[in-house]
Amino acid sequence: MTAAHTDSFLDLCRAALGPQNVLTDPADKAPYLTDWRRRYTGDALAVLRPGSTEEVAAVMRACHAHRLAVVPQGGNTGLCGGATPVGADAGRNTVVLSLQRMNRVRQVDPLNNTITVEAGVILQQLQDVAQQHGRLFPLSLAAEGSCTIGGNLSTNAGGTAVLRYGNTRELCLGLEVVNARGEVWEGLRGLRKDNTGYDLRDLFIGAEGTLGIITAAVMKLFPAPRARVTALAAVQSPRAALALLAIAQSHASAMLTGFELMSAMCLELVTKHFPQLRYPFDAPHPQLVLLELSDSESEAHARGIFEKMMEAAFEAGVVSDAVVAESVQQSRDFWNLREHIPLAQVEEGKNIKHDIAVPISRVADFIETTDSLLQDAYPGARMVTFGHLGDGNLHYNVSPPAGVDHEHFLQHQDAINLIVHNSVHAHHGSISAEHGLGQLKVEENQRYKSMVEMTMMRAIKHALDPQGLMNPGKVV
Amino acid sequence: MTAAHTDSFLDLCRAALGPQNVLTDPADKAPYLTDWRRRYTGDALAVLRPGSTEEVAAVMRACHAHRLAVVPQGGNTGLCGGATPVGADAGRNTVVLSLQRMNRVRQVDPLNNTITVEAGVILQQLQDVAQQHGRLFPLSLAAEGSCTIGGNLSTNAGGTAVLRYGNTRELCLGLEVVNARGEVWEGLRGLRKDNTGYDLRDLFIGAEGTLGIITAAVMKLFPAPRARVTALAAVQSPRAALALLAIAQSHASAMLTGFELMSAMCLELVTKHFPQLRYPFDAPHPQLVLLELSDSESEAHARGIFEKMMEAAFEAGVVSDAVVAESVQQSRDFWNLREHIPLAQVEEGKNIKHDIAVPISRVADFIETTDSLLQDAYPGARMVTFGHLGDGNLHYNVSPPAGVDHEHFLQHQDAINLIVHNSVHAHHGSISAEHGLGQLKVEENQRYKSMVEMTMMRAIKHALDPQGLMNPGKVV
């Protein structure tokens, strides 16, 4: 782009957004150009901060006219570099479009159980507003204090309540989107049933900003449960944990809102680095399962369900020990054990992470097979395996053998990824369960997707973004 | 198409499918060329009945090479003519592709709570197989004895359990599709979490066969509830019914699996034409609500929930009378009242039907406003309003004033559709909630969709079916 061309573009943007929302100074731009985990740094001609749908549309029209690439960004908490510009020319031909200023809650409709929010609303704020109306917005994940609902939608975020409420996709009824040409698609429907054409909503959800920019959404709310009670159950193996899952679902059905697996190694790391967190059993067990019930009746009722469930599990020889939280605080303590696993890993030193899913019935096979392949290749490698077993989603992380330097072990990352992802593929699984592809897994994804699928994806990309301006280098 | 061209195509098909599965005799073709409600009759060069995915692909490749249009068909129970060929040239340039012979259950995976079925499996068979494995497949609708799961997916069918389990879309995890070029997309994933690209699955669902042919699917199963109990509640108005819905959801949460509204006029017709069905209250009430609870504990527990719920509803002045079913038979009797409404309408004479949805919070406003508009235009018109209130989905049907001939009243159909659909649109609703567009509502849909949305839909259609061979004249 010539200097005159650049100037005319920036002038357009300054007129549309106000000069204070067109960042061109390197220091101002910097926070938007590196991802949260500091694995990717890109460049951009400018960071644009529109405050309304009309401003997003104006910016997109300007980008379209000047053939500038656009990288949409929410809370910049993504784990795959999806919100960071790619390419040596990005400093000349790319802008970052931050949705953070679009942070209004447009409407709460308790009777329709919906909330209409702009893309920049922080997830936690959305949860809070729902709660103020006696409702639950169930999406919950580690970054909820800073991630935005627009980013959650664009990556179809998962989290801990998918078992009952589904991914972000299942929580969304309607979208407002600015497309690559700067036109506004007003699809903000709050309908439970609507069959009047192609499902554009679900096409934009999970597209990581490569097809258009989500500017607002109608999200589902649920009646707030009267009680939430958790329990920890000790089991011998992932296979036993799966047997417990079937028993739990039969007894609790939709009341079962959490089912998390944690290997002994995970708890060893947590109690090592966070000694204030108490391991609730006398002796270590090979695997723990955290179960959560959400009850529309009462805490006592939830405890009654847990009692019958655990009785059945003991009788079936599935569980070796179990403890039901006696208080809200103890429920929180149990979740704390689970939520400190990623933090304990940081303390321990870098490991090689995988965010994978397989059919629930294959989780045990997957872990056994893959553990054994890795032990053959890297004897003594330590498996930090945990995750949302109720969804078949594991954070299957590989730590070096005891005594081996963590940084040094990272040299095996590609080889280990290959072993793990080949095994995932053999078990009919997904190499990106809840984090998306971003730039991290674009190439790897093509190893496992069929040509037919890639060709259809690219045809859709070309149909909606013929100039290839929307978040290039991501997803397809 | 020249005769030689036609012959070469039919020879290809006979070789691929066996001559007995290539129907060209008018008498053999006839059952496939008229829709179930006998509103549409089309023509076709042949009706093709492939028995496997490979055979579907072979046929599609032949159609692609010969530039023949393809109308996929399941149980031929659609209500909008989506499975009937359109156009004067259909007898020369169109084939009907029936999926009925693809009727195998490929796999049941109780631990993953999934079932993999071919497109031609009858919905009821799917429900039965699930039950044999102690699981529930919740999709349920009037045509379940003859509709196919492929048709349910292609129209994103709704039914009576959407409130809890969602539409067919939400019940599907993965698809196998033969695209317009005759390539097989193997997307039969049984995963709860997968973020590795665009959501092709949800694009094919609800596309009514205009983007490709669904040949198989992985569907979700649920734990079978231990008890199902229904109740009937008498309320004064749709607005009171909405207040009851909020109370019911607060008490029963996900246990609430049915919430159906029936106006007095509906019950009057049912008890007139089916006198063996007993109206369970002493006096007529303006509106009845049928509620269903599905309970993973016991019948007694469900009754206890109903008791508390109705107590709260009486206290709030929302309900004037209520009766909880004392037996499975009585539960069935209550459902029978609801399910006989469409049959009673047939007995009474044709009326003007609408399958609409609005946000739940707007249902009462919609009914009041639209009733009043219709009374102004057609004084004395009788409203047969019923439906899935829990989803905001009404079958909002208009019968002639007493004494006016039903057939004669149909002359007002277009004018009445316009009044109703304009009102739906003004209430941010959908003119096709659960029946799809087919050929019936293609044009009408364009009145309410924005140009931006139609343009994106057509771009996607063109991307996946550039020759326009897939079910032409439907949806877009």
Side-chain angles (χ1 to χ4, degrees):
Chain A
M1 201 149 88
T2 64
H5 210 58
T6 303
D7 286 347
S8 99
F9 171 76
L10 291 174
D11 286 347
L12 268 176
C13 290
R14 289 190 187 104
L17 312 183
Q20 73 280 17
N21 293 310
V22 179
L23 314 181
T24 51
D25 185 90
D28 294 341
K29 290 189 293 184
Y32 300 88
L33 297 177
T34 295
D35 73 315
W36 178 77
R37 285 169 82 184
R38 307 202 160 275
R39 291 211 279 187
Y40 300 100
T41 295
D43 201 357
L45 177 64
V47 173
L48 308 174
R49 294 167 46 83
S52 69
T53 308
E54 295 66 36
E55 290 183 9
V56 174
V59 164
M60 283 305 304
R61 284 194 299 271
C63 290
H64 187 257
H66 290 78
R67 301 217 168 209
L68 287 173
V70 179
V71 179
Q73 188 177 94
N76 197 16
T77 61
L79 298 170
C80 301
T84 312
V86 180
D89 289 336
R92 283 186 303 278
N93 66 14
T94 302
V95 298
V96 168
L97 196 152
S98 168
L99 280 299
Q100 283 181 319
R101 287 182 61 233
M102 285 198 64
N103 59 0
R104 288 182 311 141
V105 174
R106 289 194 191 162
Q107 196 203 13
V108 182
D109 184 343
L111 200 49
N112 196 38
N113 276 311
T114 48
I115 183 168
T116 306
V117 289
E118 292 183 346
V121 168
I122 304 284
L123 173 53
Q124 198 160 49
Q125 190 196 346
L126 212 168
Q127 296 165 346
D128 291 347
V129 174
Q131 200 178 12
Q132 286 155 23
H133 287 81
R135 295 293 185 275
L136 172 76
F137 182 68
L139 185 66
S140 176
L141 44 92
E144 62 195 25
S146 47
C147 65
T148 62
I149 190 65
N152 299 145
L153 284 161
S154 291
T155 57
N156 186 24
T160 55
V162 173
L163 174 62
R164 160 66 182 99
Y165 299 101
N167 298 284
T168 309
R169 180 185 304 291
E170 283 84 31
L171 298 174
C172 180
L173 290 178
L175 290 180
E176 179 187 86
V177 170
V178 175
N179 70 17
R181 289 158 61 169
E183 299 162 331
V184 180
W185 171 48
E186 210 288 71
L188 279 179
R189 294 160 197 149
L191 302 172
R192 257 68 187 180
K193 285 182 174 173
D194 178 26
N195 278 308
T196 54
Y198 300 147
D199 184 8
L200 299 176
R201 176 191 68 201
D202 285 312
L203 200 53
F204 288 110
I205 295 175
E208 303 186 38
T210 62
L211 299 179
I213 297 178
I214 295 170
T215 49
V218 181
M219 306 302 294
K220 289 186 198 168
L221 300 176
F222 295 83
R226 286 191 172 70
R228 272 192 198 174
V229 181
T230 65
L232 281 178
V235 297
Q236 287 301 307
S237 65
R239 203 170 295 278
L242 288 177
L244 177 60
L245 176 63
I247 292 170
Q249 288 182 319
S250 151
H251 280 77
S253 189
M255 285 174 56
L256 185 69
T257 47
F259 197 93
E260 300 282 316
L261 183 75
M262 304 177 268
S263 71
M265 180 70 197
C266 296
L267 291 156
E268 199 185 307
L269 289 182
V270 167
T271 48
K272 173 181 166 191
H273 294 288
F274 302 95
Q276 72 277 24
L277 298 180
R278 214 179 63 78
Y279 184 78
F281 297 105
D282 295 333
H285 292 280
Q287 304 282 341
L288 292 193
V289 175
L290 185 156
L291 302 93
E292 182 187 73
L293 296 186
S294 297
D295 199 307
S296 57
E297 294 178 63
S298 66
E299 221 170 282
H301 180 255
R303 284 225 183 75
I305 301 270
F306 261 140
E307 231 162 77
K308 280 185 214 160
M309 183 197 300
M310 291 305 175
E311 205 179 291
F314 275 111
E315 258 174 40
V318 160
V319 158
S320 40
D321 206 348
V323 48
V324 179
E326 293 286 335
S327 63
V328 173
Q329 184 54 49
Q330 202 178 5
S331 279
R332 212 166 281 157
D333 291 345
F334 291 173
W335 269 118
N336 262 332
L337 286 171
R338 162 66 180 83
E339 281 161 3
H340 277 72
I341 299 173
L343 306 172
Q345 288 179 96
V346 173
E347 294 298 319
E348 183 74 9
K350 280 186 186 164
N351 59 19
I352 297 167
K353 293 182 197 303
H354 306 96
D355 165 43
I356 63 98
V358 293
I360 294 163
S361 50
R362 287 178 171 241
V363 169
D365 286 343
F366 167 79
I367 293 176
E368 285 168 17
T369 311
T370 320
D371 280 6
S372 145
L373 289 169
L374 287 168
Q375 287 307 318
D376 287 350
Y378 304 96
R382 292 174 304 164
M383 303 308 308
V384 187
T385 304
F386 64 101
H388 318 297
L389 186 62
D391 317 317
N393 174 203
L394 296 176
H395 300 301
Y396 185 83
N397 301 337
V398 187
S399 270
V404 173
D405 178 67
H406 282 258
E407 286 290 342
H408 186 73
F409 191 64
L410 288 182
Q411 66 177 297
H412 303 299
Q413 177 146 328
D414 289 349
I416 287 176
N417 285 351
L418 190 64
I419 291 173
V420 172
H421 289 164
N422 280 347
S423 183
V424 166
H425 189 64
H427 288 84
H428 302 287
S430 166
I431 65 162
S432 188
E434 56 175 11
H435 296 167
L437 299 171
Q439 49 186 296
L440 175 64
K441 293 185 186 170
V442 179
E443 279 183 42
E444 194 145 8
N445 194 42
Q446 294 172 27
R447 190 186 302 145
Y448 301 108
K449 290 271 179 197
S450 67
M451 188 56 80
V452 174
E453 184 160 354
M454 288 308 305
T455 303
M456 289 198 288
M457 279 170 52
R458 287 182 184 130
I460 289 165
K461 167 75 175 173
H462 186 74
L464 297 184
D465 177 24
Q467 298 188 319
L469 299 179
M470 297 304 310
N471 211 4
K474 321 291 166 64
V475 184
V476 281
Chain B
M1 203 148 90
T2 65
H5 209 58
T6 302
D7 287 347
S8 99
F9 171 74
L10 291 174
D11 285 346
L12 269 175
C13 290
R14 290 192 187 103
L17 312 183
Q20 72 282 14
N21 293 310
V22 180
L23 313 182
T24 51
D25 184 89
D28 293 341
K29 290 189 294 186
Y32 300 88
L33 296 178
T34 296
D35 73 315
W36 178 78
R37 285 170 81 184
R38 308 204 158 273
R39 292 213 279 187
Y40 299 101
T41 295
D43 200 358
L45 178 64
V47 174
L48 308 174
R49 294 167 44 84
S52 69
T53 308
E54 294 66 36
E55 290 183 8
V56 174
V59 164
M60 284 304 304
R61 284 194 300 271
C63 290
H64 189 257
H66 290 77
R67 300 217 169 211
L68 286 174
V70 180
V71 179
Q73 189 178 94
N76 197 17
T77 62
L79 297 171
C80 302
T84 310
V86 180
D89 288 338
R92 284 186 302 277
N93 67 14
T94 302
V95 298
V96 168
L97 197 152
S98 167
L99 279 301
Q100 283 182 319
R101 288 182 59 233
M102 287 198 63
N103 59 359
R104 289 182 311 140
V105 174
R106 289 196 190 160
Q107 198 202 14
V108 183
D109 184 343
L111 200 50
N112 196 39
N113 275 313
T114 49
I115 183 168
T116 307
V117 288
E118 292 182 348
V121 168
I122 304 286
L123 173 52
Q124 198 161 49
Q125 189 196 348
L126 211 167
Q127 296 166 345
D128 291 346
V129 174
Q131 199 178 11
Q132 286 154 23
H133 287 82
R135 295 293 184 276
L136 172 75
F137 183 68
L139 185 65
S140 177
L141 45 91
E144 62 195 26
S146 47
C147 65
T148 62
I149 190 65
N152 300 145
L153 284 160
S154 290
T155 57
N156 186 25
T160 54
V162 172
L163 175 62
R164 160 65 182 99
Y165 300 101
N167 297 285
T168 309
R169 179 185 305 291
E170 284 84 30
L171 298 174
C172 180
L173 290 177
L175 290 180
E176 178 187 87
V177 170
V178 175
N179 70 16
R181 289 159 60 169
E183 300 162 331
V184 180
W185 172 47
E186 210 290 70
L188 280 179
R189 294 158 197 150
L191 302 172
R192 255 70 186 178
K193 286 182 174 172
D194 178 27
N195 278 309
T196 54
Y198 301 148
D199 184 7
L200 299 177
R201 176 191 66 201
D202 286 313
L203 201 52
F204 288 110
I205 294 174
E208 304 187 38
T210 62
L211 299 178
I213 297 178
I214 295 172
T215 49
V218 182
M219 306 303 295
K220 289 187 198 168
L221 300 176
F222 295 82
R226 286 190 172 70
R228 271 194 200 173
V229 181
T230 65
L232 280 180
V235 297
Q236 287 301 307
S237 64
R239 202 170 295 279
L242 288 176
L244 177 60
L245 176 63
I247 292 170
Q249 288 182 319
S250 149
H251 280 76
S253 190
M255 284 174 59
L256 186 68
T257 47
F259 197 92
E260 300 283 316
L261 182 74
M262 305 176 269
S263 70
M265 180 70 196
C266 297
L267 276 311
E268 200 185 307
L269 289 183
V270 167
T271 47
K272 172 180 167 193
H273 294 289
F274 301 96
Q276 72 276 23
L277 298 180
R278 214 179 65 78
Y279 185 78
F281 297 105
D282 294 333
H285 292 279
Q287 304 282 341
L288 293 193
V289 174
L290 186 156
L291 301 95
E292 182 189 75
L293 296 186
S294 297
D295 198 307
S296 56
E297 294 178 64
S298 65
E299 222 170 281
H301 180 255
R303 284 226 182 73
I305 301 271
F306 262 138
E307 230 163 79
K308 279 185 214 161
M309 183 197 299
M310 291 305 173
E311 205 179 291
F314 275 111
E315 257 175 42
V318 160
V319 158
S320 39
D321 205 348
V323 47
V324 178
E326 293 287 336
S327 63
V328 173
Q329 183 54 48
Q330 204 178 6
S331 280
R332 212 165 282 158
D333 292 345
F334 291 173
W335 270 118
N336 261 333
L337 286 172
R338 164 66 181 82
E339 282 161 4
H340 277 73
I341 299 172
L343 306 173
Q345 289 179 99
V346 173
E347 295 297 318
E348 183 72 9
K350 280 187 185 163
N351 59 20
I352 297 167
K353 295 182 195 302
H354 307 96
D355 165 44
I356 64 97
V358 294
I360 294 163
S361 50
R362 286 178 171 240
V363 169
D365 286 342
F366 167 78
I367 293 176
E368 284 166 17
T369 311
T370 320
D371 280 5
S372 144
L373 289 169
L374 287 169
Q375 287 308 318
D376 287 349
Y378 305 94
R382 293 174 304 164
M383 305 307 308
V384 187
T385 304
F386 65 100
H388 318 296
L389 185 62
D391 316 318
N393 174 202
L394 296 177
H395 299 302
Y396 185 82
N397 301 337
V398 186
S399 271
V404 173
D405 179 66
H406 282 258
E407 286 292 340
H408 187 74
F409 193 63
L410 288 182
Q411 66 177 299
H412 303 300
Q413 177 147 328
D414 288 350
I416 288 177
N417 286 348
L418 189 65
I419 291 174
V420 173
H421 290 164
N422 280 348
S423 182
V424 166
H425 189 63
H427 287 84
H428 301 288
S430 166
I431 65 161
S432 188
E434 56 175 11
H435 297 167
L437 299 171
Q439 47 186 297
L440 175 64
K441 295 186 186 169
V442 179
E443 279 182 42
E444 194 145 7
N445 194 42
Q446 294 173 26
R447 190 185 303 146
Y448 302 108
K449 290 270 176 195
S450 67
M451 189 57 83
V452 174
E453 183 160 354
M454 287 308 304
T455 303
M456 289 198 289
M457 278 171 53
R458 289 184 183 128
I460 289 165
K461 166 73 176 175
H462 186 74
L464 297 184
D465 177 24
Q467 298 189 317
L469 299 179
M470 298 302 312
N471 211 5
K474 320 293 166 61
V475 184
V476 282

